[in-house]
Amino acid sequence: MDSHGQYEQRVVWTVVGTDIGPLLLAATPDGLVNVVFHATDATRDRALERLAARLGTEPVEAPGSPLLAEAIRQVEAYFAGRRRDFELTLDWSLISGFNRQVLRELASGVPYGSVVGYGDLAGRVGQPGAAQAVGMAMGANPLPVVVPCHRVVESDGGIGGFGGGVDTKRRLLALEGVLPEPLF
């Protein structure tokens, strides 16, 4: 508790090097709250400013924090090909409503090495015809990779868009064996 008797919202973060570039991982006592692609200095700083504004507290760099230890371990194992599923406590406070419903369904219902269409995912949450809204939910995903928005593709076989860039989406799908490894 802080000096006013309020529970302090603590946010810790670190950057982890991966095959798709640096990922920022941020956690609260409630779980992993944010994963950010391409976390070089400018991107990282913008992400931390957004987190501070959304969560009402300044994130603290703490690579050795127990709040991050398991997330770091599992992310590293995933990129090394030793982990297919993330078993992490997630803090869903950065997303709500339909978007949260869609992302929870994605996290629990679309396993490693498989893909789902935007429209199919909309149907799974009882909103057939809401494919565009599912696309918006994927773009708002605060926990990419861990909540695998890279597994959502277009119904006509197209790869679809991706907040981390289409090349990153291709690399993640290749890692999971859905696509061949890019040649270059």
Side-chain angles (χ1 to χ4, degrees), residues 62-122:
S65 171
L67 297 177
L68 289 166
E70 188 60 20
I72 293 167
R73 190 183 71 71
Q74 289 189 29
V75 164
E76 288 174 344
Y78 171 81
F79 283 102
R82 297 187 316 269
R83 174 170 281 282
R84 292 176 164 230
D85 300 307
F86 291 96
E87 297 170 6
L88 296 169
T89 302
L90 302 177
D91 177 341
W92 293 94
S93 64
L94 294 178
I95 197 139
S96 61
F98 177 78
N99 290 356
R100 184 186 292 190
Q101 181 183 10
V102 168
L103 291 172
R104 283 182 179 266
E105 173 59 30
L106 174 64
S108 64
V110 182
Y112 182 98
S114 66
V115 294
V116 65
Y118 292 95
D120 294 334
L121 190 54

Side-chain angles (χ1 to χ4, degrees), residues 25-26 31-37 86 88-95 103 106 138 140-150:
L25 305 178
L32 187 67
V33 71
N34 203 200
V35 176
V36 178
F37 290 112
F86 291 96
L88 296 169
T89 302
L90 302 177
D91 177 341
W92 293 94
S93 64
L94 294 178
I95 197 139
L103 291 172
L106 174 64
M138 296 305 103
N141 182 3
L143 296 160
V145 180
V146 175
V147 176
C149 52
H150 59 277

Side-chain angles (χ1 to χ4, degrees), residues 17-76:
T18 73
D19 293 345
I20 58 168
L23 290 180
L24 181 141
L25 305 178
T28 70
D30 293 329
L32 187 67
V33 71
N34 203 200
V35 176
V36 178
F37 290 112
H38 315 298
T40 55
D41 294 347
T43 301
R44 180 198 66 217
D45 292 347
R46 281 191 306 274
L48 293 171
E49 286 173 16
R50 280 193 308 272
L51 269 176
R54 295 281 309 276
L55 298 176
T57 188
E58 197 67 33
V60 175
E61 184 174 16
S65 171
L67 297 177
L68 289 166
E70 188 60 20
I72 293 167
R73 190 183 71 71
Q74 289 189 29
V75 164
E76 288 174 344

